[in-house]
């Protein structure tokens, strides 16, 4: 019953750039292992020729959010860690969340209001009516 | 001895009932609750669970976020022990302080493991030319509680 929230991982790098060395090593060595360990994630590797934009690992999630992270001048182990981290995330944007819990049915036995656990008006006796 | 304002405590004196009658009443209540559980006549169950050094009040299908890293992968089912309280619409089972493991079963799944939003940790001393800035992103885990079940084995 668990659905991974990552749709696809796109690895954009250029084979000639010097800062994409980690990306190239990752593609040579670890990309296959990563793809086998996460069988429900699609990994696209798209090298673009020539001095283009910086090497980027782009993750798309099921709710449409796209997250890009630079992988320039990173070793291949770091890229593996980054990729697993993004694979474990969901597509919600990372802002401050106010509550660490979320329920759809917060009260089961009835929500407390100031009149619970108090005797009803008909049987309340005033403080002066009781004989001392 | 004269009666002053401090001879008796200010709260009203409560008379405890007879222990034998009390034991019979207890047994009857336990039997009724057992019968209810066995018949399955409860609606939603809620539980108070001690997890990650915090106590949570959880029902089924709700989300909980921890500020730590669990050793389970995404999609693993986890069984939570350390259940303090279980309740339904008509009855509650209170543990002292824990309930038995053969009585309650709380199952949860790890949904995602992300990092928190980047928090700024800055230290500054005035007139000393000292400031350090660090950005911290804690790892977080999100769990979804799947089921809470109780079994009729009270005593």
């Amino acid at each position: 019953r668990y659905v991974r929230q990552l749709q696809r991982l796109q690895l954009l790098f250029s084979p000639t750039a010097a800062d994409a060395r980690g990306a190239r090593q990752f593609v040579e060595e670890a990309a296959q292992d990563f793809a086998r360990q996460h069988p429900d994630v699609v990994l696209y590797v798209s090298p673009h020729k020539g001095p283009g934009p910086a090497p980027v690992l782009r993750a798309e999630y099921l709710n449409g959010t796209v997250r890009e992270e630079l992988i320039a001048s990173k070793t291949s182990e770091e890229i593996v860690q980054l990729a697993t981290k993004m694979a474990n995330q969901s597509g919600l944007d990372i802002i401050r969340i106010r509550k660490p819990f979320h329920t759809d049915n917060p009260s089961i036995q009835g929500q407390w209001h100031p009149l619970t656990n108090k005797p009803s008006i008909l049987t309340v006796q005033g403080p002066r009516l009781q004989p001392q | 001895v004269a009666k002053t304002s401090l001879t008796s405590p200010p709260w009203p004196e409560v008379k405890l009932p007879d222990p034998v009658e009390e034991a019979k009443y207890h047994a009857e209540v336990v039997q009724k609750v057992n019968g209810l559980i066995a018949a399955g006549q409860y609606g939603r169950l809620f539980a108070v669970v001690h997890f990650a050094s915090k106590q949570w009040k959880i029902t089924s299908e709700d989300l909980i976020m921890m500020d730590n890293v669990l050793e389970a992968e995404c999609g693993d089912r986890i069984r939570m022990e350390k259940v303090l309280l279980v309740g339904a619409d008509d009855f509650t089972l209170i543990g002292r302080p824990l309930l038995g493991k053969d009585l309650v079963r709380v199952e949860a799944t790890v949904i995602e493991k992300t990092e928190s939003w980047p928090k700024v940790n800055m230290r500054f001393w005035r007139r000393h030319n000292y400031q350090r800035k660090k950005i911290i992103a804690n790892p977080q885990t999100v769990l979804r509680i799947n089921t809470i079940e109780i079994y009729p084995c009270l005593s």
Side-chain angles (χ1 to χ4, degrees):
Chain A
R1 235 210 68 173
Y2 166 68
V3 175
R4 196 181 288 275
Q5 292 282 332
L6 186 66
Q7 232 182 343
R8 58 182 96 102
L9 265 178
Q10 275 175 325
L11 189 62
L12 306 167
F13 68 105
S14 90
T16 40
D19 48 359
R21 178 162 52 113
R24 272 175 272 147
Q25 273 179 345
F26 169 73
V27 163
E28 281 162 27
E29 296 154 16
Q32 278 215 343
D33 305 328
F34 179 79
R36 277 213 198 95
Q37 274 160 17
H38 307 262
D40 41 352
V41 168
V42 195
L43 178 65
Y44 293 94
V45 175
S46 55
H48 44 77
K49 300 280 187 297
V56 134
L57 178 61
R58 192 203 287 171
E60 292 173 33
Y61 294 98
L62 287 174
N63 55 0
T65 38
V66 179
R67 239 189 99 185
E68 293 186 348
E69 297 230 354
L70 288 181
I71 35 179
S73 327
K74 280 204 175 131
T75 57
S76 109
E77 287 95 10
E78 285 176 19
I79 297 180
V80 159
Q81 276 167 13
L82 242 189
T84 40
K85 183 188 105 175
M86 291 173 90
N88 287 339
Q89 279 174 346
S90 86
L92 305 164
D93 29 310
I94 302 183
I95 46 171
R96 182 180 86 96
I97 37 169
R98 293 167 215 242
K99 304 191 229 182
F101 43 83
H102 172 80
T103 22
D104 288 323
N105 309 60
S107 91
I108 294 187
Q109 292 181 354
Q111 200 164 30
W112 184 89
H113 52 90
L115 291 173
T116 47
N117 298 337
K118 285 254 166 84
S120 79
I121 309 172
L122 301 170
T123 50
V124 157
Q125 306 251 356
R128 306 273 173 129
L129 297 177
Q130 285 280 14
Q132 282 296 326
Chain B
V1 182
K3 280 220 162 44
T4 58
S5 64
L6 291 180
T7 40
S8 63
W11 49 81
E13 196 188 315
V14 173
K15 240 188 73 169
L16 288 177
D18 206 13
V20 171
E21 276 183 24
E22 186 81 13
K24 269 198 290 189
Y25 179 65
H26 282 331
E28 201 188 305
V29 164
V30 160
Q31 226 184 24
K32 257 197 202 168
V33 169
N34 251 342
L36 272 183
I37 300 174
Q41 273 176 11
Y42 43 82
R44 282 185 90 94
L45 278 178
F46 72 92
V48 171
V49 151
H50 187 284
F51 197 66
S53 80
K54 279 181 280 280
Q55 297 189 2
W56 312 81
K57 174 189 153 321
I58 51 185
T59 48
S60 47
E61 317 159 7
D62 70 349
L63 289 169
I64 279 186
M65 192 152 89
M66 320 268 150
D67 219 2
N68 58 0
V69 170
L70 290 172
E71 279 174 2
E73 292 300 323
C74 283
D76 285 356
R77 263 188 105 96
I78 289 182
R79 194 208 153 170
M80 290 206 214
E81 296 151 18
K82 283 202 219 172
V83 179
L84 296 129
L85 223 198
V86 158
D89 202 9
D90 295 323
F91 60 90
T92 33
L93 304 169
I94 309 177
R96 294 186 185 173
L98 296 178
L99 289 173
K101 282 201 251 177
D102 50 346
L103 193 52
V104 196
R105 192 180 167 90
V106 180
E107 299 230 320
T109 336
V110 180
I111 289 192
E112 67 174 291
K113 289 162 46 160
T114 55
E115 307 210 321
S116 75
W117 66 298
K119 300 187 188 174
V120 175
N121 180 17
M122 182 136 179
R123 292 185 288 182
F124 178 80
W125 277 349
R126 53 187 175 185
R127 298 183 293 272
H128 289 264
N129 195 19
Y130 172 74
Q131 53 179 352
R132 306 274 183 269
K133 183 168 171 181
K134 191 170 169 182
I135 297 186
I136 296 185
N138 307 320
Q140 289 171 334
T141 9
V142 177
L143 298 175
R144 185 178 287 272
I145 312 290
N146 295 120
T147 49
I148 307 179
E149 296 153 6
I150 44 174
Y151 308 109
C153 38
L154 292 168
S155 65

